Amino acid sequence: MRVFTIGSDDSFSEYEPEPFQAEHEEAVLQKWLKANPDGVLEDGPLFIIGQEVHTDLGGFVDLLALDRHGNVVVVELKRDRTPRDTIAQALE
């Protein structure tokens, strides 16, 4: 699909596709989720209280939030398949 913008002189300019390196996908999604916490849960928005939060066990979680009931919500982003150590990381 072609995407255009309208310039200050009312002319159309087509956006050129740019290569997107795979290692940046998680960071972009994390930034988007932090800026748009309404779409993470079905029953209401999240209140983001931290990003890249270090845990007592030496790891970190991508986003730490509270739901509308005050429950702590951990948002952990992973690409592709989720190995067992990722599940363990979330449980820690």
Side-chain angles (χ1 to χ4, degrees), residues 1-33:
M1 178 171 97
R2 297 170 62 189
V3 179
F4 294 86
T5 185
I6 300 173
S8 59
D9 61 349
D10 292 332
S11 64
F12 286 103
S13 299
E14 184 175 2
Y15 284 106
E16 294 294 324
E18 293 184 28
F20 193 83
Q21 298 176 357
E23 64 264 17
H24 296 296
E25 289 181 18
E26 186 175 314
V28 170
L29 181 57
Q30 187 180 98
K31 183 179 177 181
W32 187 88
L33 287 172

Side-chain angles (χ1 to χ4, degrees), residues 2-87:
R2 297 170 62 189
V3 179
F4 294 86
T5 185
I6 300 173
S8 59
D9 61 349
D10 292 332
S11 64
F12 286 103
S13 299
E14 184 175 2
Y15 284 106
E16 294 294 324
E18 293 184 28
F20 193 83
Q21 298 176 357
E23 64 264 17
H24 296 296
E25 289 181 18
E26 186 175 314
V28 170
L29 181 57
Q30 187 180 98
K31 183 179 177 181
W32 187 88
L33 287 172
K34 184 177 179 185
N36 299 283
D38 297 349
V40 179
L41 297 178
E42 290 181 5
D43 67 342
L46 291 177
F47 178 67
I48 307 294
I49 58 175
Q51 181 176 352
E52 300 289 330
V53 178
H54 290 277
T55 68
D56 292 341
L57 300 171
F60 63 92
V61 295
D62 292 327
L63 294 172
L64 188 62
L66 298 173
D67 69 8
R68 66 185 187 146
H69 304 290
N71 298 311
V72 175
V73 177
V74 174
V75 179
E76 187 62 35
L77 304 169
K78 296 293 177 207
R79 292 180 48 234
D80 301 321
R81 297 181 146 216
T82 306
R84 290 182 151 206
D85 57 331
T86 301
I87 303 298

